[in-house]
Amino acid sequence: MSEGSEEYSAVQKFYDNIWLLLGIGIVLPTVLFTVWGLYEVYTLPYLPIVK
Amino acid sequence: MAIHEPQGNWWQPLSKDEKIWFILALVWMLVSFLYMPIQHFIGVQNPPSESYRVSAEDFEALIEAQEEKYTVGEENGFPVVRPNPDEPVYLKASMWEWTPVLELEKDKTYKIHLSSVDLVHGFSIQPINLNLMVIPGIDYVVNLKPTSSGDFRILCNEFCGLGHHTMVGKINVI
Amino acid sequence: MSFEKRTCEISGLEIEKNSESMIKLNMATAIIFFAIGGAAGLLVLLTRWPAIHLLPVEWYYRWLTAHGLLALLVWIIFFEVALVHFGSVTLLKSRLAVPILSKITYGLMLGGTLLVVVMVLGGQADVLFTSYVPLQAHPLYYLGIILFAVGSLIAFIHFFINAVVAKKEGEYKRTLPMVSFGIMAASIIGIMSIAHGAAIYIPTFLWSLGIIETIDPSAYRLVWWGLGHTSQQINVCMMVACWYGIAAFLFKAKPASEKLCRSAFVLYILFINVASEHHLLVDPVFSTWHKIVNTSYVMHLAVLASMIHAFAVPASIEMGLRKQGYNNGLFEWLKKAPWGNPAFSATFISIVLFGFLGGTTGVIFGTEQFSIIRHNTWAITGHFHGTVVAGTTIAFMGMAYFLIPVFFKRDLIMPGVAKLQPFVYGTGITILSITMMAAGTFGVPRRHWDYNFSDAPFGYQFDSTVDIFMGLVGIGGLIAVVGGAMFVFVTLGSIFKGNKRA
Ligand code: HEM
Ligand SMILES: [Cu+2]
Ligand SMILES: [Cu+2]
């Protein structure tokens, strides 16, 4: 088969796009783990103290 | 070969044994994936999820107030406190002590507030081997219901300096 | 493109000059630090062995810090930098895009390592390798870590530069070979990991200088594990790439299905990093949903990926051996496999031990319910000696046996010792790992100088079976130290004294 005459599936194109993988690979865990976690750290309420 | 570029379109259907394996793996994954959340809602052995910020000064004050009110004795230089099960109980981690010694009643549920006034420590009750992190500036609220009486120890299992190995506290269940 | 290269007669690989010298340098450096890290492991081991209790308390923590850093960080990452060069230059039949970057990487990593070692053994950083704030080390300790991290960050970015150059110059058309793809996945995870490292170590460095007032301890733990756990995923990914590589080199094996195996690496890229959460399962502050989504939900997609690799690699080895004619019955291929070749036996042992020892226990301890009865006990130390030692380290040993003749053009010395080495090391680590987990089940803490608590206000005695496990950890550890020393002698001996090939 000659170059270009072949159809590639979208997934194959996605897997071959190392820059896209790099981008998603950084953004996804950073949002899901780090940003969400830091949000919880900095919004934790103060202990209600009953005097 | 895994060291050469595959040619052309490699997005091809799986062979039969690959399919079988994939489905087995998927099923196993779904089981273990559902296990933890399901256990979280129906099980009893879950890390608590209630916590607050608290300053070291405020926490020390709560510890002192509790000691004034509920101290019933002394053991190896530590006050022994028998708290009221209807009130919050405070337990302080510091280098390298757990204060006070708590005297708890069997089958009563206590709300224990854990905090550290200096470094990160590790709260580890033995011999039941229950482990939680204690973070300075954070109050971790643990619902604890002793189901057997006797002496328990609290070890520290997060490195907290050179005296780390001497940091052992005590809980008496009566 | 024309550039200076030679064709290796063992592997048929085309080896480009600039990358060759960097691969050799990084590999040799890795092995030297493996030796020092192993010696530190021995000292720690002999201290925790109650019959010996070797080191005084402060030196126990110092050597433990050194062992964690040298073995986990320095040995592993120097070796990975060699693999980054191998995957993005040698396998793509290309050239090193920016040779000066590789030199900067090496300089920063070596300089950082030396600074860290001097600080730790000089008693200026009694903080263990996690350095949870507000424990504080000397500023130069943090600086050393930052230098090391920046160096390795440059190496992981260099992978992408090399790949772009190789594609532009027509060395590959659209798809990276599977092994390079795995190393690419590891590099993505590496960049993600070290970004977290920068986000936490730079503020901590400024805090140690007094420029920043405080660092929130919970935020530190969150972001630190974004570095610490994520870097374990670099190791998993690199290890799997080595499995595919050895299978291909020794058996001309094809990955069972490009689609399946690549999907498994993509699952790693997308989902494995959030598993950092399993270090925080018994922490306050983080909500149940943060814990459930990050560990239970997303992590298991990565577990699925590991299951796929665990099928695909042995399957491709089987296919390769069957093609060589070992086709009788179900298992002739396995019996006839080249068990005398340490590159093969190490790879095989790594696959089996990672699967049964490290992987399964990781999935189990990574649930809230198990974390609460295992966290910070010795069971955890047992678990990760099953992953990063039995899995990654042994896979890298196999790769070293293969790569040393290729790159140094020397034969392995002491082939009889080399043949036995993976078995000795694997046996030792297996005993060490299982018995550490057994002791942890009884609550024996990790990172603890005296599990008899003789100086504590309240004494505590563990169940008496614990003493047996503590002794067995010692014995397993000693066997592992012997196996580790065999590896160091064979590899360093071959690098410097092996028979030269033409
Ligand atoms: C010669 C083989 C080895 C032996 C005998 C050994 C032994 C030990 C021992 C006894 C501990 C102490 C645990 C404690 O006191 O809590 C330990 C911790 C550790 N080891 Fe190893 N080890 C070996 C190889 C390795 C390798 C190759 C790696 C990494 C690739 C590694 C990574 C670690 C880490 C990260 C820790 C934890 C340090 C900490 O808790 O701060 N070990 N090892
Ligand atoms: Cu402590
Ligand atoms: Cu401690």
Side-chain angles (χ1 to χ4, degrees), chain C residues 34 38 41-42 44-45 48 60 64-65 67-68 71-72 75-76 128-129 378 381 384-385 388-389 393 425 429 432 436 445-448 473 477-478 480-481 484:
Chain C
F34 174 81
L42 176 64
V44 172
L45 179 85
R48 294 222 56 170
Y60 162 73
L64 183 56
T65 312
H67 173 62
L72 191 65
W75 138 249
I76 296 273
L128 300 189
F129 78 102
W378 234 16
T381 319
F384 64 68
H385 280 82
V388 74
V389 190
T393 295
Y425 195 71
I429 289 296
L432 173 111
M436 270 183 179
R446 67 186 282 198
R447 304 175 151 182
H448 201 282
V473 170
L478 280 189
V481 168

Side-chain angles (χ1 to χ4, degrees), chain B residues 1-8 10-15 17-19 21-22 24-41 43 45-53 75-78 95-98 101 118-124 126-141 151-153 155-170, chain C residues 13 57-58 61 91 93 126-128 130 132-135 171-180 216-218 221 244-245 248-249 252-260 262-263 281-289 291-292 295-298 300-301 303-304 307-308 310-311 363 366-377 440-450 453 455-460 462:
Chain B
M1 269 221 286
I3 51 174
H4 298 303
E5 177 173 7
Q7 296 304 310
W10 43 259
W11 191 259
Q12 304 290 350
L14 298 179
S15 70
D17 48 347
E18 283 162 355
K19 256 193 209 133
W21 178 260
F22 180 75
L24 284 177
L26 192 68
V27 169
W28 188 76
M29 176 209 115
L30 285 172
V31 170
S32 61
F33 148 71
L34 289 172
Y35 171 84
M36 178 175 124
I38 290 176
Q39 278 297 321
H40 187 92
F41 294 108
Q45 181 183 305
N46 286 299
S49 56
E50 186 182 352
S51 55
Y52 303 96
R53 277 194 184 277
E75 247 185 274
N76 298 355
F78 289 79
M95 288 154 82
W96 292 287
E97 301 169 344
W98 299 98
V101 170
D118 41 44
L119 301 176
V120 176
H121 299 275
F123 174 83
S124 175
Q126 300 300 342
I128 55 172
N129 202 10
L130 181 149
N131 307 283
L132 297 167
M133 294 303 293
V134 187
I135 311 280
I138 306 286
D139 179 314
Y140 202 1
V141 187
D151 278 3
F152 295 86
R153 291 291 182 276
L155 310 181
C156 176
N157 67 6
E158 185 53 80
F159 174 69
C160 53
L162 295 182
H164 166 55
H165 63 281
T166 65
M167 184 163 166
V168 179
K170 192 163 178 246
Chain C
L13 288 166
V57 59
E58 66 273 28
Y61 291 116
L91 288 183
K93 305 181 185 65
D126 294 337
V127 291
L128 300 189
T130 42
Y132 293 136
V133 301
L135 268 179
E171 312 298 354
Y172 81 100
K173 282 206 221 41
R174 52 185 77 243
T175 304
L176 289 170
M178 183 69 74
V179 176
S180 298
D216 185 276
S218 285
R221 282 175 57 77
Y244 282 108
F249 283 118
K252 313 249 174 302
K254 260 180 139 157
S257 152
E258 293 282 343
K259 167 178 162 182
L260 192 62
R262 280 172 204 270
S263 299
L281 285 174
V282 296
D283 266 47
V285 178
F286 305 107
S287 67
T288 298
W289 282 111
K291 292 174 183 175
I292 286 182
T295 51
S296 180
Y297 177 58
V298 184
H300 283 87
L301 289 164
V303 174
L304 177 65
M307 301 275 290
I308 293 174
F311 168 77
V363 174
T367 58
E368 285 182 299
Q369 294 80 22
F370 272 93
S371 184
I372 196 171
I373 53 174
R374 294 292 178 273
H375 182 75
N376 270 353
T377 68
T441 305
F442 289 92
V444 175
R446 67 186 282 198
R447 304 175 151 182
H448 201 282
W449 183 68
D450 177 20
F453 311 101
D455 304 328
F458 304 100
Y460 182 65
F462 284 105

Side-chain angles (χ1 to χ4, degrees), chain C residues 2-271:
Chain C
S2 70
F3 37 84
E4 235 183 304
K5 60 182 171 187
R6 66 178 172 88
T7 302
C8 164
E9 86 247 29
I10 314 169
S11 57
L13 288 166
E14 288 167 27
I15 292 167
E16 182 257 3
K17 259 250 137 74
N18 288 323
S19 59
E20 179 182 19
S21 56
M22 291 320 296
I23 289 173
K24 285 158 77 170
L25 196 56
N26 280 292
M27 207 154 48
T29 310
I31 296 170
I32 290 168
F33 283 114
F34 174 81
I36 308 172
L42 176 64
L43 294 175
V44 172
L45 179 85
L46 294 179
T47 306
R48 294 222 56 170
W49 197 343
I52 301 176
H53 207 81
L54 182 72
L55 298 175
V57 59
E58 66 273 28
W59 283 102
Y60 162 73
Y61 291 116
R62 277 170 205 159
W63 282 108
L64 183 56
T65 312
H67 173 62
L69 287 166
L70 289 176
L72 191 65
L73 216 65
V74 183
W75 138 249
I76 296 273
I77 295 188
F78 268 108
F79 201 89
E80 286 170 348
V81 171
L83 289 177
V84 161
H85 286 81
F86 181 68
S88 65
V89 179
T90 320
L91 288 183
L92 300 183
K93 305 181 185 65
S94 178
R95 64 189 172 88
L96 191 58
V98 197
I100 185 80
L101 279 188
S102 299
K103 291 188 180 128
I104 294 175
T105 290
Y106 185 80
L108 287 174
M109 283 173 60
L110 188 64
T113 303
L114 296 178
L115 197 51
V116 165
V117 171
V118 167
M119 284 296 127
V120 170
L121 296 183
Q124 300 298 309
D126 294 337
V127 291
L128 300 189
F129 78 102
T130 42
S131 56
Y132 293 136
V133 301
L135 268 179
Q136 197 177 59
H138 193 280
L140 289 179
Y141 169 81
Y142 301 111
L143 184 67
I145 302 266
I146 291 170
L147 295 180
F148 184 89
V150 172
S152 51
L153 180 63
I154 294 174
F156 291 127
I157 292 174
H158 206 175
F159 183 100
F160 287 85
I161 302 176
N162 287 335
V164 166
V165 168
K167 195 163 178 184
K168 220 173 175 179
E169 295 175 356
E171 312 298 354
Y172 81 100
K173 282 206 221 41
R174 52 185 77 243
T175 304
L176 289 170
M178 183 69 74
V179 176
S180 298
F181 190 73
I183 296 176
M184 187 272 305
S187 300
I188 291 179
I189 298 173
I191 291 169
M192 151 87 192
S193 164
I194 292 166
H196 280 75
I200 200 60
Y201 272 105
I202 292 173
T204 308
F205 172 57
L206 296 176
W207 167 73
S208 71
L209 287 171
I211 297 170
I212 291 182
E213 196 131 318
T214 54
I215 305 267
D216 185 276
S218 285
Y220 180 95
R221 282 175 57 77
L222 178 88
V223 183
W224 196 91
W225 283 112
L227 160 79
H229 190 78
T230 306
S231 71
Q232 300 322 303
Q233 311 306 356
I234 314 174
N235 304 342
V236 169
C237 227
M238 287 283 188
M239 167 188 77
V240 175
C242 286
W243 295 349
Y244 282 108
I246 292 291
F249 283 118
L250 298 187
F251 309 110
K252 313 249 174 302
K254 260 180 139 157
S257 152
E258 293 282 343
K259 167 178 162 182
L260 192 62
C261 301
R262 280 172 204 270
S263 299
F265 277 121
V266 171
L267 286 176
Y268 276 168
I269 295 173
L270 300 183
F271 298 119

